[in-house]
């Protein structure tokens, strides 16, 4: 009996690999999501920052057509065994508009593991939709330079499988202290934290927010910590510089950070980039 089940599983696996048939519900969800946004690739010609990051920006959703399999669409990745959509990369796609809280993205693409909307004009959102926190299978979330604003919803802390979080360059996006602490407590697999130019000024200096990062249960996994011009305050001490896998630390232009580094007792260090420009040195 076990041999028969194994044989059926193997046959299904190869059938999915050869045909890559996206589940109809997910196929329809993506097509509906496409109707909620417009594409305007000229935004990359008008903004030097965009042009530098997206020199080959392309409206990926224009390859999405009814009657075709979503696993073949640009920006879509499907699992080779189940054929569920597990990756959606719409970075540099010239997207303009609003991601609605009731979007099919949140309700029917629950298997997503990687999601990127980086460098799009999602100007219609007064707040970052809390529904992102319902995509609990996410390991990588990149919403860099999407023009999101308002308070970061507490639901972001529900993404306990996150390994990489990039919310950078959303200049009006604000962290609440409770949300920040809860995210650090719950997302125990985080290795990359990129929050450049988000607003962390409401996070108190007691307890020291940098030590809070260093003392989180999974701190040994952190390789990248990028927090320039966030308004974060506190003391930089040796505990964070001695994180065993930390390679990149950027605290540039945080005038509320006091640099106090005693003699380090690190047995080893992988730190290769350290930017403390415009911080306070006593």
């Amino acid at each position: 009996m076990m041999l028969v089940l194994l044989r059926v599983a193997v046959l299904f696996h190869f059938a999915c690999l050869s045909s890559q048939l996206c589940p109809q519900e997910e196929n329809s969800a993506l097509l509906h999501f496409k109707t909620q946004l417009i594409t305007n690739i000229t935004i990359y010609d008008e903004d030097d920052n965009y042009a530098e990051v997206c020199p080959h920006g392309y409206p990926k959703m224009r390859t999405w057509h009814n009657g075709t399999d979503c696993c073949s669409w640009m920006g879509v990745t499907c699992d080779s065994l189940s054929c569920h959509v597990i990756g959606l990369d719409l970075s540099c796609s010239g997207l303009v508009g609003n991601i609605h809280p009731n979007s099919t993205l949140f309700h029917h693409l629950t298997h997503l593991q990687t999601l990127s909307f980086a460098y799009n004009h999602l100007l219609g959102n007064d707040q970052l939709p809390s529904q992102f926190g319902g995509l609990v299978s996410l390991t990588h979330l990149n919403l860099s330079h999407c023009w999101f604003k308002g308070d970061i919803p507490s639901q972001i802390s529900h993404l306990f499988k996150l390994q990489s979080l990039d919310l950078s360059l959303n200049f009006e996006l604000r962290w609440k202290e409770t949300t920040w602490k809860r995210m650090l407590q719950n997302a125990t697999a985080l290795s990359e934290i990129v929050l450049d130019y988000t607003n962390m000024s409401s996070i108190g200096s007691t307890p020291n927010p940098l030590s809070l990062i260093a003392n989180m249960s999974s701190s040994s996994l952190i390789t990248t910590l990028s927090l320039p011009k966030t308004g974060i305050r506190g003391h930089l001490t040796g505990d964070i510089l001695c994180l065993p896998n930390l390679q990149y630390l950027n605290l540039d232009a945080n005038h509320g950070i006091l640099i106090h580094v005693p003699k380090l007792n690190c047995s080893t260090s992988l730190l290769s980039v350290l930017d403390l420009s415009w911080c306070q040195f006593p």
Side-chain angles (χ1 to χ4, degrees):
M1 182 64 176
M2 286 296 295
L3 182 61
V4 172
L5 291 174
L6 178 62
R7 191 170 296 168
V8 170
V10 170
L11 287 174
F12 173 78
H13 175 66
F14 283 109
C16 187
L17 281 176
S18 61
S19 63
Q20 283 292 284
L21 293 176
C22 172
Q24 183 58 45
E25 182 182 40
E26 296 176 23
N27 204 96
S28 299
L30 286 170
L31 288 173
H32 186 268
F33 177 68
K34 177 183 176 181
T35 66
Q36 296 181 323
L37 299 167
I38 64 172
T39 56
N40 179 10
I41 208 67
T42 62
I43 62 175
Y44 303 119
D45 300 326
E46 301 164 358
D47 188 320
D48 291 339
N49 292 326
Y50 276 136
E52 183 178 348
V53 177
C54 304
H56 305 295
Y58 185 80
K60 298 175 185 176
M61 289 201 298
R62 289 184 184 174
T63 68
W64 300 7
H65 300 293
N66 195 15
T68 61
D69 176 33
C70 75
C71 294
S72 66
W73 297 346
M74 185 174 289
V76 178
T77 300
C78 292
D79 183 82
S80 59
L81 180 60
S82 68
C83 298
H84 285 299
V85 176
I86 58 171
L88 190 59
D89 180 6
L90 292 175
S91 58
C92 299
S93 295
L95 301 181
V96 179
N98 180 29
I99 297 181
H100 298 285
N102 62 351
S103 170
T104 53
L105 170 75
F106 302 123
H107 298 291
H108 299 292
L109 296 175
T110 55
H111 297 275
L112 279 176
Q113 298 173 21
T114 62
L115 177 61
S116 177
F117 285 114
Y119 289 87
N120 289 290
H121 267 195
L122 303 178
L123 292 165
N125 287 85
D126 291 331
Q127 286 194 312
L128 180 68
S130 62
Q131 287 75 13
F132 277 108
L135 300 173
V136 294
S137 294
L138 282 179
T139 59
H140 294 74
L141 177 61
N142 189 342
L143 302 177
S144 177
H145 212 323
C146 287
W147 299 93
F148 287 121
K149 53 189 175 182
D151 292 333
I152 293 172
S154 61
Q155 289 84 351
I156 201 78
S157 64
H158 298 171
L159 302 178
F160 60 93
K161 292 184 180 181
L162 271 187
Q163 299 171 24
S164 176
L165 175 65
D166 189 343
L167 300 178
S168 62
L169 302 174
N170 289 290
F171 304 99
E172 298 183 56
L173 203 54
R174 300 183 300 269
W175 283 93
K176 290 181 178 179
E177 184 168 352
T178 52
T179 302
W180 170 246
K181 289 180 178 178
R182 193 174 293 125
M183 188 200 71
L184 291 180
Q185 291 168 356
N186 293 350
T188 56
L190 268 176
S191 62
E192 295 181 343
I193 305 174
V194 182
L195 303 175
D196 313 24
Y197 291 86
T198 58
N199 188 341
M200 306 181 77
S201 61
S202 66
I203 298 175
S205 57
T206 305
N208 185 1
L210 295 177
S211 293
L212 184 66
I213 298 171
N215 295 327
M216 60 189 280
S217 61
S218 61
S219 62
S220 61
L221 299 176
I222 296 177
T223 61
T224 298
L225 181 60
S226 188
L227 306 174
K229 208 166 185 177
T230 57
I232 196 169
R233 295 166 289 163
H235 295 264
L236 178 68
T237 53
D239 51 0
I240 199 163
L241 294 177
C242 287
L243 291 176
N245 289 301
L246 186 64
Q247 301 172 33
Y248 182 97
L249 176 61
N250 188 346
L251 298 173
D252 174 35
N254 287 298
H255 308 295
I257 290 181
L258 182 65
I259 309 300
H260 176 69
V261 183
K263 183 178 179 180
L264 300 179
N265 295 315
C266 309
S267 55
T268 60
S269 176
L270 299 177
L271 193 63
S272 58
V273 175
L274 176 62
D275 192 339
L276 303 177
S277 308
W278 299 99
C279 294
Q280 291 190 52
F281 286 83

